[in-house]
Amino acid sequence: MQAETPSDQLCRQASSEGVMLLAELNQTDAATTQSLTQQLVRLHRHAAVAMVVLPSSVSLSSAARNRIPNLMLVQKVSDVAGSETAPWADLAFIRCDNSASAEKFAAISRLPLLCQFNSDKSSAAEASVTENVQHAEQLLADLPAVAGVLYD
């Protein structure tokens, strides 16, 4: 399950029900190094939080990173062409319109990719779960750098 700035209550509930959370922190959450570290330590305490997506602009010290050793940090990439990956990042998160944008970033990234495909309302209504699974399987087979695929 993907959640933006999940509350402790949501994290506890997900942990008790065995649901993995992909937590996304926005620019406000990561405004200062201290507030970012506090948020990451808070999320790290919950078993359900496996990964946290952070803005590319975030700067994270190795001391802060050492406080959250089991948490995968995911860099949110907005500009596929001009993006460099951050030293703290374990994965790169990109929103894709099509497989070509994932392929383009895979060619320049040192990180495994987590791709989210945005569906417009008309295609989302027509796309079946089976079609999405087939698309994801094909993408994973074609691009070894892709570690996971999400659909909204």
Side-chain angles (χ1 to χ4, degrees):
M1 183 173 132
Q2 188 174 352
E4 189 170 321
T5 316
S7 66
D8 284 332
Q9 180 181 356
L10 176 63
C11 293
R12 279 191 299 274
Q13 184 178 0
S15 294
S16 70
E17 294 179 16
V19 175
M20 184 182 87
L21 284 179
L22 172 66
E24 189 167 348
L25 298 181
N26 59 37
Q27 198 63 43
T28 306
D29 297 321
T32 67
T33 303
Q34 183 179 9
S35 66
L36 172 62
T37 303
Q38 289 170 347
Q39 285 279 6
L40 291 171
V41 168
R42 178 184 69 81
L43 292 170
H44 183 256
R45 291 182 182 131
H46 299 284
V49 181
M51 295 180 260
V52 177
V53 178
L54 299 169
S56 289
S57 60
V58 163
S59 177
L60 191 66
S61 70
S62 57
R65 183 66 175 114
N66 290 339
R67 292 184 65 190
I68 50 167
N70 301 321
L71 195 59
M72 292 187 72
L73 298 181
V74 184
Q75 179 181 353
K76 187 175 188 177
V77 176
S78 55
D79 176 20
V80 172
S83 294
E84 290 191 25
T85 53
W88 50 260
D90 300 308
L91 291 163
F93 178 84
I94 59 172
R95 295 190 191 273
C96 301
D97 296 324
N98 53 47
S99 298
S101 56
E103 187 173 0
K104 184 178 179 181
F105 191 74
I108 63 170
S109 176
R110 68 168 179 82
L111 298 173
L113 305 179
L114 186 58
C115 302
Q116 181 171 25
F117 285 87
N118 302 314
S119 328
D120 62 29
K121 300 220 188 281
S122 60
S123 66
E126 295 171 10
S128 69
V129 171
T130 302
E131 290 169 329
N132 284 343
V133 168
Q134 289 171 344
H135 177 254
E137 287 174 345
Q138 187 63 50
L139 186 66
L140 292 167
D142 291 346
L143 296 172
V146 175
V149 180
L150 303 169
Y151 294 89
D152 62 0

